[in-house]
Amino acid sequence: MEFLSYLITGISLGSIYAIIALGYTMVYGIAKMLNFAHGDVIMVGAYVSFYVTMFAGSNLLGDDPSTLASGIVALVSVLLAMAVCTVLGVVIEGLAYRPLRQAGSLAVLITAIGVSYFLQNAAQLLFGANPKNFTPIVSGQLTLFGGQLRISYVALLTIAACVVIMLGLTTFTGKSRMGKAMRACSEDRGAAQLMGINVNATISMTFAIGSALAAVAGVLLCSYSPVLQPTTGSMPGIKAFTAAVFGGIGSIPGAFLGGLLLGIIEALAQAYISTQLSNTILFAVLIVVLLVKPSGLLGKYVPEKV
Amino acid sequence: MNKKFEKGKMVPVPSHSIIPERDIDKSPILECRHLGIDFGGLRAVNDFNLTIGRTEIAGLIGPNGAGKTTIFNLLTKVYQPTRGTILLDGLDTSGKTTAQINRMGIARTFQNIRLFNNLSVEDNVKVGLHNQEHYSALTGVLRLPWYWSREKAAHDRAMELLSIFGMEHLADHAAGSLPYGAQRRLEIVRALATNPSLLLLDEPAAGMNPSETAELMENIVKIRDTFQIAVMLIEHDMKLVMNICEGICVLNFGQVIAKGTAEEIQSNPAVIEAYLGKQKEA
Amino acid sequence: MKSYFKNMKTITKADYATYLGVILAFIVVSICQSQGLVSRSLGGMLVPICCYVCMSVSLNLTVGVLGELSLGHAGFMSVGAFSGIITAMSLQSAVPNDLVRMVIALVAGAFFAAIVGFIVGIPVLRLRGDYLAIVTLAFGEIIKDLINCLLVGWDENGLHIALNVDGTKSMSSLGLSENGIEIIKGAQGATGNARIATFTMGFVLIMITLVVVLNLVRSRTGRAVMAIRDNRIAAESVGINVTKYKLIAFVTSASLAGAAGALFGLNYSNVTAAQFDFNTSILVLVYVVLGGLGSIWGSIIATVVLYVLPEALRQFSDYRMLVYAIVLILVMLATNNPQVRALISRIIPRRKGAAIDE
Amino acid sequence: MEPILKVSDINVYYGAIHAIKGVSFEVNPGEIVTLIGANGAGKSTTLQTISGLLHSRTGSIEFLGESLMGIPAHKIVAKGLAQVPEGRRIFLQMTVEENLQMGAYTRSGAGIDQDLEKVYTHFPRLMERRRQIAGTLSGGEQQMLAMGRALMSRPKLLMLDEPSMGLAPILVEQIFEIIRTLHKAGTTILLVEQNAQAALSIADRGYVLETGRIVTSGTGQELLASPEIKRAYLGG
Amino acid sequence: GGGNDTSAADDGGSDTTVSTGTAFKIGVIGPLTGGAAIYGTCVANSAQIAVDEINALGGDIQFELLPAADDVNDAETSVNAYNSLMDKGMQILVGTVTTQPALSVVPLTYDDRVFTLTPSASGDDVIENNDNVFQICFTDSNQGSRSAQYINEHFPDAKIGIIYKNDEQYSIGIRDNFKAEADARGMDIVYEGTFAEANQTDFNVQLTAAQSAGADLLFLPIYYTPASAILTQANALGYKPTFFGVDGMDGILTADNFDASLAEGVYLLTPFSADAEDEMTQNFVTKYQEAYGGTPNQFGADAYDAIYTLYQAIQAAGVTADMATEDICDALIEVMPTISVTGLTSAGSEMTWDANGAVSKDPTAVIIENGTYVTP
Ligand SMILES: Nc1ncnc2c1ncn2[C@@H]1O[C@H](COP(=O)(O)OP(=O)(O)OP(=O)(O)O)[C@@H](O)[C@H]1O
Ligand SMILES: Nc1ncnc2c1ncn2[C@@H]1O[C@H](COP(=O)(O)OP(=O)(O)OP(=O)(O)O)[C@@H](O)[C@H]1O
Ligand SMILES: [Mg+2]
Ligand SMILES: [Mg+2]
């Protein structure tokens, strides 16, 4: 029973990693850049949701709001967070990354780091250093086996959201016109232009999707572990990047699998081996997997044609 | 005549050779026996047998996707063969890496040019001289006298090699900034710098106009004559192939469909059907 | 010989200019310091600046010359720092001379970082691109975690080392004798270190780093490494043992970072593993990229400027890191702007076959 | 007759390199026009400038009476101008069929499937390999794919950059056959070729480019007959 | 206000100016940005309040508080911060805020003979091997063993779980001493879990493990930010042990949007409570809220006390601002063990110091009831 609860902890944590990793993988796969500011967009999303909920709580809802009312507030807060992050993502892309289209990938990486610093410090000035306690968008839990096993609704929601997003993205990139345009851009921007694809618009679109996902991830992350501060996004961001690579960067199912496994390994390592060395174990597993499968679990290894 | 090259049949050396008369007194430089590789379900190369004499210029032709480049990749161990053996100068090459194969004596160029684009032309050649002008990393860091003498030797040798194609004046240019034709020539020079006994050229004339091709032909023969090495080339320019190749091997769907001299090949109906088409010229 | 020099002219000129610049800077700063013209603030930054210069120059070897993205360079600095501190502290009575002890510690730092670099390098270098990045990142975190559990003490019986994985061990479980010294106390790091690092030593280390990196790059080995960077398959096809040369570059880079780390460790009375985390690796990477991949003098200048910048921005108080971020982004945008680049290349004419001075 | 494409006095630079120096030429509807010239003469650069991937500092480019100057590349395609770029530039990680579909990106619905069939009849090899990842095709197969892909946009003007490069002789013939067929079907073609012999023999007119300048022009037959051209480009 | 000289004290909202030469230049070092910014900013703000109050008294002793120097809670940056303050002529250091940077800075202040009074760097090593460093907060060892003692006396049969932060000296220090004392007393520790800076928001695994190990009292020697996450997540898991925190737990009630009902029944050792009724606390908290918004935590209270302690020590030593820094230092070292100070954090009694620099004030345990601290 304990094992099950650790497993569920791992899966719900992993689902959050997976959602973030999906955003990473999208942006990486298409814009070919490591967007280290992705984690900070998560943080912004969470703050937006936090303030919307606070505002609604103090101005719109009464002392004892109905489930429906608070549900609507939660939904609105998520949607607003997505909207803000989408705009933020597109603006960042347009101002900081687009001018670097011709530059090397490392130049973009460093700019992304600059953006990350910027977002964190701007958040501290705007929202203060004092951590906020985030109110989960859904509360309560499912109790099984006579109370021996509890699964919070947040965990269930996270897992469900993660699966839906993964399936949605897979279909989108595989089937839709825009999705194919994205894949074309990811391979050869010049050739994509010759096909009539608006490369800038496509990359903006990618950032829009990635950032909207980041907003969702931010809300879920803070619903799961309720402390929100300007640095909230950075570690999950790195973990998610790891997850994306673990699963095979650029691969959507890979990001999903990688995130999930990472969460599970982390939880089980903490529970059964050592809380002290859980990161070490996690990263060691990662290294071993990459050595056996150098392109990640589901990364497709396209050999170079010689 | 044709019977001699029947596929799948083990015959003693040098009868696999396209032109057995050449270098008849010496053992062949290269022997492929029943070579083959699969990509997934695709038999890209199957039962490929070939022998090349010490100073032969051999041609490998065939329709697109026939497996010609793949054979080069097998010879240089870019791909590990699924079946068969490759003997270089009588030595089995199985289990060797690409780098070791080069040190054993095979150098090549690539169908899609692969230069060290950010290095200068001279440095590209010097990289080719890597195993010729040897000194240790420590010698290099400490700049011991040996470093200076080896570097000078490398420089002189690089210039000498570049002069084959009259490219000395380009020595300081970044390789990636050269015109296409010059890049192809530089690749050949770099391959020569490794002091090979067998030079593999993958479509050396691609992207060159006929006059440039004519010049290239002369140079290939010149290289063979000066360095006394074997050259094997893949080319779709029939003028080049028919004029300088002493033996030609035709591949289709990974299988050898014909071997022989230019005349034999040109009149072979199977080759005409699969590859040459109704030739007007050459 | 003569014509050879003629050919090497442009490259060696740039190299000698780099050496000369560093030497001049050292002389000027030393003179100013002896005249009391250097503020404490700047004076205190001299040694760490030297360390970071070595860090960025050595990382440039991996990222710029070898062309592999490493996000764990601070891990090697960490190994160097702690092995350097252990060495220096253990030798405190045996080698009373600070200078000698410092040199031994630096060598030890470089040595252990090289060993770790070798161990990490073997598996890591089979991977490419971003996979390498993530594994180096992972390695950096692992090193940090392990050192966080590390307990080291020294007494006349020699070194006492324990790994406190489950929290059950403490310094007392090392069983140090009466006059033993506690060197590393887990997450608290090394405390009470003797601060023996000097600016002069930092300068010497920079010079050594420069000589090693520049001479390596201008040698047969360096050409092989750059060839691998530009086209691995072609490099193999001309007989270069890719793994060997990748390892040479990687291990050299690691050991130079280790030496820098040792110097760094000897400059502070307290050093913790957490200081050498992912963010530090990123910081050094920023120096390298901003200075220009493969450009050694660029790395040096970028390091000095970017290290001093947050300090210079102290007057902005709360806004200082925000301003830093904005400056970073703007500089990246400006240096990669085609117009600005064209302008720069007009001012500083470059060799046509730009290999490393790009 | 109004030319379908009119290029006048374009100047293109790569940083400090002046690659195209005041080039002007035109293509009339229904014509095959060829640009020939040595390596590095600027043929590819010219095509890329027309399709909007590179930009000229001066002059004008008019397509169907509309100026293309300053119009982004993706919009130019939609106007009916397709290019088979040098070095093929197919999408290596997509399947053959997906590549072909990308060619029809600017179109919607009707006729795409028929065109796909048409391409497959031109190139049966592509039909065999429709599910193969394009990156593993042989050089020649990739060239076929690149041509097929460009045809999928049903261009009014098709620009081909060295379509015969790296192809087996039988395929070179086929490619030229296809060019002829397309031409007969009313597609205007701007052809860049190293194989000057073949190019000039099917071209209505040709221009000779040398280090970024047009040095000669004339009908295909005139140029074929010219002794200088013979010496310089036909290996005569 | 003091004189009308132009050497403005700082940009931190002071309305006082002081005459050159008569004001002691005081520096504060702490994290103003980054993850620990909340502690550093509170210290800087509170010190400013105390300085303004003292300057407003208009006595001979005037303070000039240099702009607080940011150390990002990093040992390396803290040295730079210290040097930049030295360039500005700092005579006395109130800092650093956290332990790790203190370990880097304190040897420098010792060499430079700069008198150092740290509000909240509680590590035992901070005051070791030097004579010039004094603490306002109690040391980690003190807290650790006091906690064990208290728990043993009040919950003799408790099955104890501990969750601590394995990369922070504060947390480890208290835990080590707690464990030593608990072992000596034969207390029953059934679970120990750790976390690090990198994962200090998710405690599901540790809590599940503690719960299944049967821990009915969770000892949390950590700061309140992670503690608030622990309380929230334990609640979600339906795990309701007795929580026992230390002084870092103070502030939990003021965490933004924290559901204070979750903290009901939490024990903590703290010297300070922002809603204590006494006049001094009320004055401080009101001023803080007016000037900076938000409620000050115990770090701020320590800083406020530090400034007043300094004030009293200077009075006792009779030093003046124009004296050399090392003379001021020596004189203050002299008097520190002799003075006794009543402050926000002295819990109604008086603080005194031993020659080593450790404060003696008794950590008292409080329990949170109805959103306020109550002595049980
Ligand atoms: N790595 C690979 N994976 C799968 N298939 C491959 C791979 N490499 C080559 N092939 C297939 O093997 C066949 C032979 O390819 P190869 O490149 O050798 O052709 P080629 O004879 O050189 O043709 P061309 O003259 O067009 O260059 C082709 O059908 C190609 O698609
Ligand atoms: N990306 C580039 N950067 C710098 N110079 C370039 C670049 N591309 C081409 N050039 C230069 O511009 C000139 C024209 O090149 P272009 O590719 O248009 O020639 P081309 O006629 O198509 O030759 P080829 O037959 O080799 O394809 C050449 O001198 C070439 O070196
Ligand atoms: Mg081929
Ligand atoms: Mg071209």
Side-chain angles (χ1 to χ4, degrees), chain C residues 90 152-161 174 176-177 180-181 183:
Chain C
S90 330
V152 179
W154 186 86
D155 61 15
E156 52 292 341
N157 300 324
L159 274 181
H160 298 247
I161 300 175
L174 287 180
L176 289 179
S177 73
I181 16 178
I183 301 177

Side-chain angles (χ1 to χ4, degrees), chain A residues 213-274:
Chain A
L213 288 186
V216 176
V219 173
L220 291 171
L221 174 71
C222 288
S223 297
Y224 175 78
S225 59
V227 177
L228 172 57
Q229 52 191 12
T231 49
T232 290
S234 39
M235 200 59 202
I238 294 174
K239 286 271 176 68
F241 168 45
T242 313
V245 175
F246 195 32
I249 192 153
S251 152
I252 287 169
F256 175 76
L257 185 67
L260 225 51
L261 283 179
L262 214 67
I264 294 173
I265 296 171
E266 186 172 337
L268 295 184
Q270 280 185 352
Y272 293 108
I273 307 179
S274 159

Side-chain angles (χ1 to χ4, degrees), chain B residues 42 62-65 111-112 180-181 203 206-212 236 238-239 253 272-279, chain D residues 37-40 88 125 128-129 138-141 144 162 165-171 173 194 196 231-235:
Chain B
L42 180 77
N64 295 108
Q111 186 171 358
N112 309 308
Y180 196 80
E203 304 200 17
M208 290 191 182
N209 68 34
S211 353
E212 289 171 317
H236 290 303
M238 285 307 109
K239 209 176 203 172
F253 293 112
I272 293 177
E273 145 114 49
Y275 183 65
L276 294 175
K278 28 188 194 325
Q279 284 282 300
Chain D
N39 272 300
R88 304 155 193 147
R125 175 58 67 90
E128 283 166 37
R129 299 290 171 84
S138 80
E141 292 161 348
M144 295 182 223
E162 303 201 20
M165 176 153 127
L167 292 193
I170 195 167
L171 270 170
E173 268 173 44
Q194 285 294 353
R231 192 160 16 87
Y233 302 107
L234 306 176

Side-chain angles (χ1 to χ4, degrees), chain D residues 40 42-45 86 161-162 192 194:
Chain D
K43 307 178 295 288
S44 306
T45 308
E86 185 174 25
D161 198 345
E162 303 201 20
V192 164
Q194 285 294 353

Side-chain angles (χ1 to χ4, degrees), chain E residues 1-326:
Chain E
N4 39 14
D5 206 291
T6 44
S7 65
D10 71 297
D11 57 354
S14 162
D15 55 356
T16 359
T17 48
V18 287
S19 327
T20 319
T22 61
F24 291 91
K25 289 195 174 180
I26 301 176
V28 170
I29 299 175
L32 304 177
T33 57
I38 174 157
Y39 312 120
T41 32
C42 191
V43 163
N45 295 341
S46 307
Q48 187 64 52
I49 291 174
V51 164
D52 288 347
E53 283 177 3
I54 289 169
N55 287 347
L57 296 176
D60 291 338
I61 301 169
Q62 294 283 312
F63 289 142
E64 178 188 346
L65 191 61
L66 298 168
D70 184 11
D71 67 12
V72 209
N73 195 16
D74 172 69
E76 180 189 347
T77 317
S78 67
V79 170
N80 292 341
Y82 171 74
N83 284 330
S84 78
L85 287 174
M86 289 303 281
D87 280 338
K88 296 201 179 98
M90 173 174 69
Q91 293 166 295
I92 296 165
L93 173 64
V94 173
T96 65
V97 171
T98 44
T99 298
Q100 212 75 58
L103 294 174
S104 284
V105 168
V106 157
L108 300 176
T109 69
Y110 177 73
D111 289 353
D112 294 334
R113 304 308 294 156
V114 174
F115 183 73
T116 303
L117 191 58
T118 168
S120 48
S122 54
D124 292 51
D125 286 352
V126 172
I127 50 174
E128 285 304 320
N129 302 320
N130 54 49
D131 58 354
N132 65 322
V133 185
F134 292 80
Q135 284 169 323
I136 296 292
C137 53
F138 19 70
T139 54
D140 296 340
S141 54
N142 191 351
Q143 284 206 68
S145 42
R146 277 288 302 177
S147 302
Q149 194 182 333
Y150 187 92
I151 290 172
N152 194 20
E153 280 160 14
H154 293 79
F155 306 91
D157 305 320
K159 289 183 184 308
I160 300 167
I162 306 176
I163 298 179
Y164 66 99
K165 190 172 175 191
N166 64 22
D167 60 356
E168 185 168 71
Q169 189 44 38
Y170 167 74
S171 195
I172 298 173
I174 299 178
R175 174 264 174 195
D176 286 351
N177 287 293
F178 178 89
K179 186 146 174 7
E181 181 75 23
D183 287 348
R185 289 167 176 264
M187 291 157 68
D188 186 12
I189 298 178
V190 293
Y191 173 75
E192 280 199 84
T194 66
F195 63 98
E197 181 72 28
N199 51 0
Q200 61 172 325
T201 50
D202 176 22
F203 298 96
N204 278 303
V205 170
Q206 290 92 328
L207 289 169
T208 310
Q211 187 176 22
S212 36
D216 54 15
L217 186 144
L218 260 193
F219 180 57
L220 303 175
I222 55 178
Y223 288 130
Y224 73 84
T225 307
S228 70
I230 289 184
L231 293 182
T232 314
Q233 290 185 332
N235 181 55
L237 286 170
Y239 176 38
K240 295 189 166 48
T242 306
F243 292 100
F244 197 103
V246 287
D247 62 352
M249 183 77 97
D250 176 59
I252 191 150
L253 293 174
T254 60
D256 251 347
N257 198 36
F258 177 68
D259 180 1
S261 71
L262 295 178
E264 285 297 297
V266 169
Y267 283 81
L268 68 158
L269 283 185
T270 181
F272 171 73
S273 152
D275 36 36
E277 306 279 297
D278 63 297
E279 192 191 332
M280 201 173 182
T281 309
Q282 284 310 305
N283 164 50
F284 168 63
V285 172
T286 320
K287 276 193 180 156
Y288 193 98
Q289 279 167 340
E290 276 168 12
Y292 307 105
T295 312
N297 53 31
Q298 161 245 331
F299 285 80
D302 282 334
Y304 184 87
D305 282 357
I307 298 290
Y308 271 97
T309 304
L310 209 52
Y311 183 60
Q312 230 166 300
I314 288 171
Q315 273 179 328
V319 290
T320 54
D322 50 13
M323 286 168 68
T325 305
E326 49 272 25

